[in-house]
Amino acid sequence: MKVHILLGPPGSGKGTQAKRLVEKFNLNHLSTGDILRDAVSKETEIGRMAKAIMASGKLVDDDTVNGLVFARLQQGFEGDVLFDGYPRTLQQAKALGEFLSTQMIGLGNVVNIAVPDGVLEARVVGRRVCSNNDCGAIYHVESKPPKQDGICDLCGSPLKHRSDDTAEAFRSRMADFNASFQPLLGFYEHQPHYRSVDGNLAPEQVFESLVQLFPESA
Ligand code: AMP
């Protein structure tokens, strides 16, 4: 088992691309956003603590997120894991590196989906997601509308506008993102498996670039 990392700002298409890579290469998808949203909906102790932080677009603290991720990795996986939304800070990246080396788990691809800031806000504010967590299909009101307004094409559940996908929360997420992302990139960009792909292209083209990278170690 190896872990692969997808990096990129909110709205870079990370979630969409992760789902497709997971299907194509039979990877295990580990999205910290999904794990946290699940904790919020189940009203666990962590969920209750994280709810307001997530709604405001801030980052949940490193120790909590690291703890959730390491606990899940320790349960084991058949095959490789693709992280989506983790690590988000230098501290998370360092803690992950130490955890992987003590557990003798290899680091696979580290891929950054690079998108200029200006295009991101419109993508995020128009995003709609399926309310059924087992489906999780992602739409966009303009570039990828569902066939029937507000209803998921795949499972028929209502679509929702995530509370952190407003323009206000997006700006707060971008401020946090920018503050933590440069140190994170600095940490990874000289590592042997680091690659960057152009995320300002049609999703299909971005996916093609990613597919070229993954067979190396997936
Ligand atoms: P996402 O679905 O990846 O956009 O994550 C949604 C929200 O969950 C973020 O805005 C954060 O509040 C929280 N979150 C997800 N992943 C992390 C992480 N690695 N570190 C801290 N907070 C996170």
Side-chain angles (χ1 to χ4, degrees):
M1 159 180 152
K2 266 188 203 161
V3 303
H4 306 276
I5 296 173
L6 265 191
L7 301 172
S12 60
K14 255 189 341 278
T16 305
Q17 299 295 347
K19 279 193 195 344
R20 299 189 62 184
L21 287 169
V22 160
E23 269 173 36
K24 185 165 176 79
F25 295 111
N26 213 8
L27 305 166
N28 298 285
H29 187 194
L30 217 163
S31 152
T32 42
D34 285 350
I35 294 175
L36 287 163
R37 278 185 287 278
D38 192 49
V40 170
S41 71
K42 291 188 175 134
E43 297 186 358
T44 65
E45 200 179 318
I46 288 177
R48 283 197 295 272
M49 179 277 292
K51 188 174 181 177
I53 301 173
M54 292 173 71
S56 71
K58 298 280 180 213
L59 290 179
V60 175
D61 73 278
D62 291 330
D63 289 345
T64 299
V65 177
N66 289 334
L68 287 169
V69 170
F70 300 163
R72 184 62 195 88
L73 286 176
Q74 259 161 343
Q75 287 167 16
F77 281 102
E78 292 267 324
D80 286 4
V81 172
L82 180 67
F83 282 131
D84 163 9
Y86 178 86
R88 282 264 228 294
T89 66
L90 181 59
Q91 197 277 351
Q92 290 176 15
K94 287 183 171 167
L96 174 66
E98 281 164 27
F99 178 83
L100 295 179
S101 60
T102 57
Q103 303 289 313
M104 315 273 273
I105 300 171
L107 181 62
N109 293 311
V110 180
V111 186
N112 179 33
I113 304 181
V115 186
D117 285 7
V119 263
L120 293 172
E121 183 171 325
R123 283 194 188 182
V124 165
V125 173
R127 175 160 64 188
R128 299 293 181 271
V129 294
C130 178
S131 57
N132 168 7
N133 288 340
D134 293 333
C135 171
I138 301 169
Y139 299 84
H140 190 278
V141 286
E142 276 156 25
S143 59
K144 197 189 170 209
K147 292 195 185 83
Q148 192 186 337
D149 212 18
I151 301 293
C152 179
D153 293 348
L154 301 182
C155 74
S157 302
L159 299 183
K160 63 178 184 188
H161 189 199
R162 270 169 43 182
S163 58
D164 55 351
D165 278 348
T166 60
E168 196 184 29
F170 172 79
R171 285 180 201 138
S172 165
R173 282 158 91 188
M174 271 321 279
D176 275 359
F177 173 80
N178 285 325
S180 54
F181 191 62
Q182 290 312 322
L184 187 61
L185 261 194
F187 180 79
Y188 283 122
E189 69 190 346
H190 300 298
Q191 298 201 10
H193 292 298
Y194 175 80
R195 302 281 184 282
S196 179
V197 297
D198 182 358
N200 193 19
L201 299 170
E204 196 54 45
Q205 288 171 284
V206 179
F207 184 61
E208 283 310 311
S209 321
L210 290 167
V211 166
Q212 302 303 317
L213 302 178
F214 268 78
E216 282 180 26
S217 52

